[in-house]
Structure formats: structure tokens, C-alpha cells
Amino acid sequence: VPIDVAQAIRQRRSTRSFQQKELPKELLLQIVEAGIWAPNGGNAQTWVFVVVTEGDRLRHIRAVSPGILGTPAAVVAICQDKELAEEKGGRLARETASVMDSAMAGENIMLYAVGAGVGSCAVLSFHKEAVRQLLGLPQAIVPELLITLGYAAEENPLPRREFQSVCFFEKYGIAHGSRAE
Ligand SMILES: Cc1cc2nc3c(=O)[nH]c(=O)nc-3n(C[C@H](O)[C@H](O)[C@H](O)COP(=O)(O)O)c2cc1C
């Protein structure tokens, strides 16, 4: 069911409780492909996506990732080829842009998942070296962010700070007044 971008943004909630239901591989790959359309520094595209669905490997990843809650049907490791990043854009690319690129790709994946009725959660709390080894990543390729995916069993909508208190107009400290809808 196609939904618009504004809806998808508001509907995305971190899912930490999943149904024990498989994600069709075709759909899973469509969701992950949304990642490559994310903005990325200099269009360097130094990312690598590893999609894990196999039971034992998923269990091992969960075991080294305290940030994964629930039992997702899949985990996507958004990784960065740090050598390629260095080659393409030096230190700024390796240390900063590649991290931001991973976050952008992650959000794309999570928003696309919303449109497909699939829940997700970004996870940073994981053991990088252990995940690198479990996925057979070469030394230069570093997992930056995990995205869990699966059909949600529960909703947990978290509130946001008041928009007015975090968004100013023209200059810090100047309230923007009411928003035109
Ligand atoms: C960089 C980053 C790291 C995160 N790490 C974790 C994590 O390790 N475990 C987890 O359950 N959620 C993690 N989250 C999800 C946030 O907790 C969640 O987005 C936030 O509480 C807001 O809730 P919402 O996504 O439902 O709006 C992470 C989110 C981001 C952006």
C-alpha cells in the first residue's frame, strides 16, 4: 500500500517486539535497496550492506548486540569500506561522512520498511569487532549501524520534545510561533 512520505515519517517507530514471521526475501531486498538511494558524501557510496536472516547467525549477532531487543526476522548491517572512503575523500570521508552516510541509508531503509508494513529499529549498541567477524567482513570494512527488521508485534510510540522548544526561526532563541498547516 503506497503511503506518502509525511505519513511514513510519522509512522516509523522503533520496533523492539516482533512477530515470529518470516520476511519474504524479495521484499527484504527491496527494503534494503532503499539504502543505496540515500544521500551520501560526494556520492562516494562506500557503504556495504549485509543482510542476515539465517537462524544461527542471527542468534550470534543478537548475542553480541545488547541493543537488539526482540527477535527480528532480519538484521541489516550497514557497513563502511573505510579504505575506499579514505581513498575517495580522505580523513573527513573516513571518519565523518561515512558515519553520516550510514545513518542516512538506515533512515531510508526504515522509511521504506514503513511503506511495506515492516517494523524496524536502528541499533548502535553492538560489538563491532564481533559482528565484523560473524559477517566475515575484511578488516577495512566496518559495521556502523544495524537495522533490525520484521513484522511488529507491539507499538511503542515515544513522545518528542515540544517542537517549539527545539526549533527557532532565523536565530537561536527566537520562537517560531504557530506552524502553518
Ligand atoms: C544512532 C542510533 C542508535 C540507536 N541504538 C539503539 C539500540 O542500540 N537499541 C535500541 O533498541 N534502539 C536504538 N535506537 C533507537 C532509538 O532508541 C529510537 O529511535 C528513539 O528512542 C526514538 O524512538 P522512535 O524511533 O520509536 O521514534 C538507536 C537510534 C539511533 C538513531
Side-chain angles (χ1 to χ4, degrees), residues 12-14 16 67-69 121-125 145 156 158 160:
R12 186 212 54 78
R13 320 296 335 177
S14 291
R16 299 187 180 88
I68 297 181
L69 300 174
C121 188
V123 171
L124 192 58
S125 178
L145 187 67
N156 176 32
L158 289 181
R160 289 301 191 258

Side-chain angles (χ1 to χ4, degrees), residues 28-41:
L28 183 54
L29 291 176
Q30 264 179 34
I31 291 170
V32 177
E33 191 174 358
I36 70 169
W37 295 103
N40 64 101

Side-chain angles (χ1 to χ4, degrees), residues 2-15:
I3 60 169
D4 72 26
V5 177
Q7 270 182 309
I9 289 168
R10 288 298 295 266
Q11 269 178 39
R12 186 212 54 78
R13 320 296 335 177
S14 291
T15 303

Side-chain angles (χ1 to χ4, degrees), residues 43-100:
N43 202 24
Q45 302 172 72
T46 49
W47 41 41
V48 172
F49 302 89
V50 183
V51 185
V52 179
T53 61
E54 195 265 319
D56 272 344
R57 190 167 286 106
L58 267 184
R59 265 188 291 281
H60 288 136
I61 287 175
R62 277 174 33 228
V64 297
S65 307
I68 297 181
L69 300 174
T71 51
V75 171
V76 184
I78 303 177
C79 312
Q80 284 288 335
D81 186 332
K82 296 291 183 174
E83 267 173 19
L84 190 59
E86 170 94 42
E87 241 171 68
K88 293 206 174 200
R91 195 176 134 192
L92 184 68
R94 190 190 68 229
E95 287 178 12
T96 306
S98 64
V99 178
M100 293 188 177

